[in-house]
Amino acid sequence: MALLFYSQDDDPHAWGAALRALLPELDLRIWPEIGDRREIEAALVWLPPPGLFASLPGLRAIFSLGAGVDAMLGQEHLPDVPLCRLVDPSLTRTMAEFVLAQVLYYHRDLDLYAAQQQAARWRLRLPQAAASRTVGVMGLGELGGAAARLLAGHGFEVLGWSRTKRTIDGVRTFAGSAGLAPFLARSEMLVCLLPLTAETEGLLDAALFAGLPAGAVLVHVGRGRQLVPADLMAALDTGQLRGAAIDVTPEEPLPADDPLWRHPGVRLTPHVASYAQPATAAATVVENLLRLRRGEPLLAVVDRSRGY
Ligand code: NAP
Ligand code: GLV
C-alpha cells in the first residue's frame, strides 16, 4: 500500500522517519517523486493542489496533516473516500498552550505595558486574580476542549460554546444559537476554536463583538474566514474590544498592505498556534493505515454533511 505525502509546510523527511519507525515496510511517496500514481492508496496531505486526488485512481483514504479540513472540503471533485482529520496530542497541547499564552498576555496587562513603554511611562497596575476573569471558548472539540481545561486549571472562570451541548469539568457550557448570547455576554476574553463551515463563516462580526462585555479581548485561532476584519478594527477603535490576538486571517499569507498588520490593537501571528509533531502524530496515521489495510473503520473521519 503506497502512501502519498504532500505538504509545503511540513517536513517530509521528519514525517518519513517517524512513519517508518512505526511501519518499516511503508511505501512512502513524497511529492513530487510519487512514482506510479495507480499504486497510491492513501494520501497524507496539507493544502493539496487542485486536481491531485482526481489523478490517483486507486485512492482509498485521505489523511489530513491538520485538524481543520475546510480547504479540502472546498476542493472540486473530492473523491468519495474517508477523509480523516488529524487528532494528535502534540497538536492539542501546542494549541492549548498558545491560547493560554495569549490569554495570560492580556490578563497580566502586557498589552498595556507595551503601550506604556512606547510612551516611556512607568505606571503600575495591580494584577487581577485569574478567578476574577471569565474566558469564553467557542468550539469545545479536541482543541477547544483542551484549551478550556487548561484555562480552567489555571484558575480562570471558563465558559464554553458548541453546536451540541458538551460537559467539561470546571467549564460552564452553552450550546447552539440560543446559547450564544448568554455565553458572549459574560466572555471578557473570547477564544475562537471553531471549524470553518457555512455556519461559522463571518461569525466574528460587529454583531458578535457588540454582544461581548465592553473592553473584551479576542483570541482568534480558528480559521481566517470566520473573522470580518473591518468589524474587528471598528470594534477596537471604539474600545468595545481592548485587543485581539489573530493567528488566522481571511487571506494567508496576509498581504503586506493589509491594515490588520498595522492596527495597534492587533497582535498577529502567521497561523502557528499549533502544529503536530511527526514523532507523536505518526502513530495516528499509522493506526489508520493499518485499519485501512484490515478493512476496519478509520479514526477521526470527517462528517461531510456537518462540514467538520
Ligand atoms: P473538532 O474536534 O471537530 O471540534 C469542533 C468544535 O466546534 C465542536 O465542539 C463543535 O461542536 C463546534 N462547532 C462546530 N460548528 C459549530 C457551530 N456552528 N456552532 C457552535 N459550535 C460549533 O475540531 P478541533 O480539532 O477542536 O479543531 C477546531 C478548529 O481549530 C479546526 O477546524 C481549525 O479550523 C482550527 N485549527 C487552527 C489551528 C491554528 O494553528 N490556528 C490549528 C489547528 C486547528 P460539537 O461539539 O457540537 O460538535
Ligand atoms: C491547522 O490550522 C490545522 O487545521 O491543523
Side-chain angles (χ1 to χ4, degrees):
M1 175 183 300
L3 173 69
L4 163 72
F5 183 96
Y6 178 95
S7 172
Q8 302 288 327
D9 293 340
D10 300 271
D11 177 356
H13 303 293
W15 268 96
L19 290 165
R20 286 206 184 89
L22 297 169
L23 201 60
E25 74 276 19
L26 178 68
D27 179 2
L28 183 67
R29 313 277 179 89
I30 298 174
W31 178 270
E33 313 294 326
I34 66 171
D36 185 345
R37 288 168 182 261
R38 290 166 303 183
E39 292 165 0
I40 291 173
E41 290 185 67
L44 178 59
V45 294
W46 180 244
L47 303 180
L52 175 63
F53 297 134
S55 72
L56 305 173
L59 194 66
R60 295 170 55 211
I62 301 170
F63 306 134
S64 168
L65 279 159
V69 289
D70 44 285
M72 213 107 73
L73 290 174
Q75 284 213 343
E76 264 187 273
H77 311 303
L78 183 67
D80 189 17
V81 298
L83 165 62
C84 305
R85 353 183 273 115
L86 193 65
V87 175
D88 166 69
S90 65
L91 189 76
T92 303
R93 195 175 47 250
T94 49
M95 177 57 84
E97 85 186 8
F98 186 88
V99 168
L100 179 63
Q102 296 289 15
V103 166
L104 287 175
Y105 180 84
Y106 292 102
H107 168 59
R108 291 306 310 269
D109 295 328
L110 299 183
D111 57 329
L112 305 180
Y113 291 123
Q116 282 184 206
Q117 185 171 354
Q118 293 298 315
R121 184 150 186 247
W122 186 276
R123 181 185 157 207
L124 192 89
R125 297 164 192 272
L126 290 180
Q128 274 192 41
S132 70
R133 195 88 79 171
T134 305
V135 185
V137 181
M138 305 179 90
L140 294 175
E142 288 296 327
L143 304 182
R149 280 184 206 95
L150 188 64
L151 290 162
H154 196 81
F156 290 105
E157 182 175 358
V158 181
L159 312 179
W161 182 69
S162 51
R163 203 172 52 85
T164 57
K165 181 82 173 159
R166 294 269 184 148
T167 306
I168 300 179
D169 275 352
V171 178
R172 183 162 167 222
T173 58
F174 299 76
S177 48
L180 184 58
F183 161 81
L184 292 175
R186 294 202 43 224
S187 295
E188 296 166 284
M189 301 209 189
L190 182 71
V191 176
C192 178
L193 260 168
L194 293 165
L196 179 64
T197 64
E199 286 76 42
T200 67
E201 181 157 11
L203 186 63
L204 302 177
D205 66 359
L208 182 138
F209 299 140
L212 292 167
V217 161
L218 172 68
V219 176
H220 184 31
V221 279
R223 279 289 185 268
R225 277 167 42 208
Q226 290 159 345
L227 177 69
V228 181
D231 290 5
L232 170 69
M233 289 184 279
L236 288 165
D237 291 342
T238 62
Q240 173 58 18
L241 289 185
R242 159 180 161 187
I246 304 296
D247 184 57
V248 287
T249 52
E251 195 181 341
E252 293 181 6
L254 187 65
D257 61 353
D258 193 292
L260 272 181
W261 280 116
R262 275 162 283 279
H263 195 289
V266 174
R267 282 157 55 73
L268 272 173
T269 46
H271 199 146
V272 290
S274 82
Y275 265 94
Q277 307 295 326
T280 61
T284 324
V285 175
V286 165
E287 172 63 25
N288 260 345
L289 276 172
L290 295 175
R291 284 169 174 253
L292 187 66
R293 195 186 273 174
R294 296 191 295 254
E296 293 171 4
L298 303 183
L299 303 174
V301 176
V302 172
D303 178 341
R304 293 193 192 193
S305 63
R306 248 178 13 176
Y308 65 97

